[in-house]
Amino acid sequence: MRALTVDAHGGLDQLRFRRDVPAPEIALPDDVRIRVHAAALNRLDLWVIQGVPGVRISPGWILGSDCAGVVDAVGPAVTSVGIGDRVTVNPGVSDRTCEYCRTGDNPLCLRYGILGEHRPGTLADFVVVPAANVLTIPSDVPFSTAAAFPLATLSAWRMLMSRAKVRESDQVLIRGIGGGVALAALLIAKSLGARVWVTSGSDAKLDRARVLGADELLNHRTEDVAKEVRARTAKRGVDVVIDCVGEATWASSLGSLGKRGRLVTCGGTSGHMVQTDVRRLFWNQWTIMGSTMGSDEEFALIVDQLRKGRLYPVIDSEFPLEQGHKAFERLHSGEQFGKIVVTVAES
Ligand SMILES: [Zn+2]
């Protein structure tokens, strides 16, 4: 089969499009094989190419976490989907038996793995996953939409709904609008009726975010974000900050946070070491939360939204699998607004 692979860690020059990769076979009774129609890129793919501490890849490693397609084969124990079903895939694979899975916290699974990072990925003609990771989508949801949807929307859903528990009365500040998680967070926060602030270094991205419903726009290159938030809220600050940028934004994210504020992070694209003044943390009674991916229950909830035509991801661009390196160059540029989709099969 065709696949976008890397043989070793390094830069984008490690990317290799191949036509000779063996197609994965059904190995376990509850496995499902999917003929991939569309896949989508995530920041995680760049981390995998670069190298993630503790994660080893073997030569010919297939990248990609997100995909949508058609069920092509099923193991004997599979009853939830059948051959020919159009599906989208939860990129996080858990054992569903450990103490964390049993209490509905699949992302904390002791044997958690993400497609493309710990298991062969989705940038290929076929991928094999457990049936519990697969949910059907109606015929009116395009494969590109269903492929761009899972990782970013699942991550954002858990951050806003399960961790920060955003309410209609909340003011939510989202850092770095244009990224998949940030955009999904914007759509979710607006669907809840919250007032949403977004930041970017690009006025063009801010303008596009306004069209999607963002209420307050802040260009972090030309404005002091924390100072501006304080000024526009009569010193009150916001209730929730969604920050996946890390080092570069941490101080101003906390500086924007009002009393009882909640900050949720799911990554540190600018750097991983941050500083927090503990006096401000306790005095303002802030809550700083980590979040990653989402549970089976959360995946079912977001796919239910997708089936109803809600929370459709913003798609920046689409590239055929053969031109996967161009898709990665786009991702690496940071110029994208929304998801970068890789089309694999004709829809
Ligand atoms: Zn588990």
Side-chain angles (χ1 to χ4, degrees), residues 44-45 48 61-67 89-93 113-122 127-130 133 151 293:
L44 176 62
D45 299 309
V48 172
W61 185 254
I62 304 170
L63 297 163
S65 302
D66 275 328
C67 77
V89 176
N90 179 348
V93 178
I114 300 176
L115 301 181
E117 184 181 10
H118 309 94
R119 297 169 59 109
T122 57
V127 65
V128 169
V129 295
N133 281 65
L151 192 147
M293 304 296 286

Side-chain angles (χ1 to χ4, degrees), residues 319-332:
F319 299 86
L321 185 62
E322 289 83 347
Q323 291 173 27
H325 65 281
K326 285 188 183 168
F328 270 91
E329 278 159 19
R330 178 80 182 154
L331 176 68
H332 191 252

Side-chain angles (χ1 to χ4, degrees), residues 94-102 106 108-111:
S94 55
D95 60 13
R96 298 180 172 93
T97 56
C98 77
E99 66 170 297
Y100 302 103
C101 287
R102 287 200 311 270
N106 305 81
L108 295 177
C109 180
L110 298 171
R111 280 167 287 273

Side-chain angles (χ1 to χ4, degrees), residues 39-53:
L41 302 191
N42 290 284
R43 180 80 194 194
L44 176 62
D45 299 309
L46 292 179
W47 294 123
V48 172
I49 296 172
Q50 194 184 310
V52 179

Side-chain angles (χ1 to χ4, degrees), residues 173 175 225-226 230 238 241-243 246 248-258 263 286:
L173 171 65
R175 308 303 308 254
V225 170
R230 299 263 155 206
V238 297
V241 179
I242 301 297
D243 187 334
T249 51
W250 195 259
S252 68
S253 287
L254 290 179
S256 306
L257 210 50
L263 182 148
W286 287 336

Side-chain angles (χ1 to χ4, degrees), residues 53-311:
V55 178
R56 292 186 59 160
I57 61 166
S58 46
W61 185 254
I62 304 170
L63 297 163
S65 302
D66 275 328
C67 77
V70 173
V71 174
D72 161 82
V74 296
V78 175
T79 55
S80 56
V81 291
I83 292 169
D85 282 352
R86 302 172 93 251
V87 294
T88 186
V89 176
N90 179 348
V93 178
S94 55
D95 60 13
R96 298 180 172 93
T97 56
C98 77
E99 66 170 297
Y100 302 103
C101 287
R102 287 200 311 270
T103 51
D105 260 335
N106 305 81
L108 295 177
C109 180
L110 298 171
R111 280 167 287 273
Y112 198 66
I114 300 176
L115 301 181
E117 184 181 10
H118 309 94
R119 297 169 59 109
T122 57
L123 287 160
D125 283 319
F126 296 96
V127 65
V128 169
V129 295
N133 281 65
V134 177
L135 288 176
T136 58
I137 51 167
S139 58
D140 60 345
V141 178
F143 284 119
S144 54
T145 299
F149 184 74
L151 192 147
T153 310
L154 185 60
S155 302
W157 184 274
R158 186 174 181 84
M159 293 175 84
L160 274 82
M161 305 296 281
S162 311
R163 302 294 277 142
K165 296 185 166 58
V166 172
R167 296 178 290 260
E168 187 180 359
S169 57
D170 282 332
Q171 300 214 41
V172 180
L173 171 65
I174 300 168
R175 308 303 308 254
I177 203 70
V181 173
L183 281 167
L186 168 60
L187 299 183
I188 293 165
K190 287 314 298 178
S191 75
L192 295 168
R195 183 166 182 80
V196 180
W197 301 62
V198 296
T199 74
S200 172
S202 155
D203 284 334
K205 289 186 183 182
L206 292 171
D207 287 342
R208 295 189 65 180
R210 185 190 287 288
V211 175
L212 293 169
D215 301 287
E216 298 278 353
L217 315 176
L218 296 164
N219 187 320
H220 66 249
R221 287 193 207 283
T222 56
E223 290 167 300
D224 179 327
V225 170
K227 204 170 158 186
E228 198 58 31
V229 169
R230 299 263 155 206
R232 293 191 203 174
T233 58
K235 296 185 181 172
R236 181 188 177 278
V238 297
D239 304 285
V240 174
V241 179
I242 301 297
D243 187 334
C244 306
V245 183
E247 218 163 286
T249 51
W250 195 259
S252 68
S253 287
L254 290 179
S256 306
L257 210 50
K259 292 183 186 300
R260 234 166 25 204
R262 296 99 81 195
L263 182 148
V264 194
T265 174
C266 76
T269 52
S270 67
H272 300 117
M273 300 307 289
V274 296
Q275 277 194 322
T276 304
D277 183 336
V278 73
R279 294 166 300 183
R280 302 189 63 205
L281 175 62
F282 72 71
W283 186 254
N284 294 303
Q285 308 214 11
W286 287 336
T287 308
I288 296 175
M289 288 173 267
S291 190
T292 196
M293 304 296 286
S295 67
D296 285 345
E297 187 185 351
E298 287 157 340
F299 185 63
L301 288 169
I302 65 159
V303 173
D304 188 48
Q305 295 282 311
L306 183 71
R307 286 170 179 157
K308 290 172 178 159
R310 297 182 196 145
L311 304 183

Side-chain angles (χ1 to χ4, degrees), residues 7-18:
D7 291 330
H9 293 307
L12 295 189
D13 55 334
Q14 293 292 339
L15 279 171
R16 199 145 296 134
F17 171 72
R18 292 172 54 176

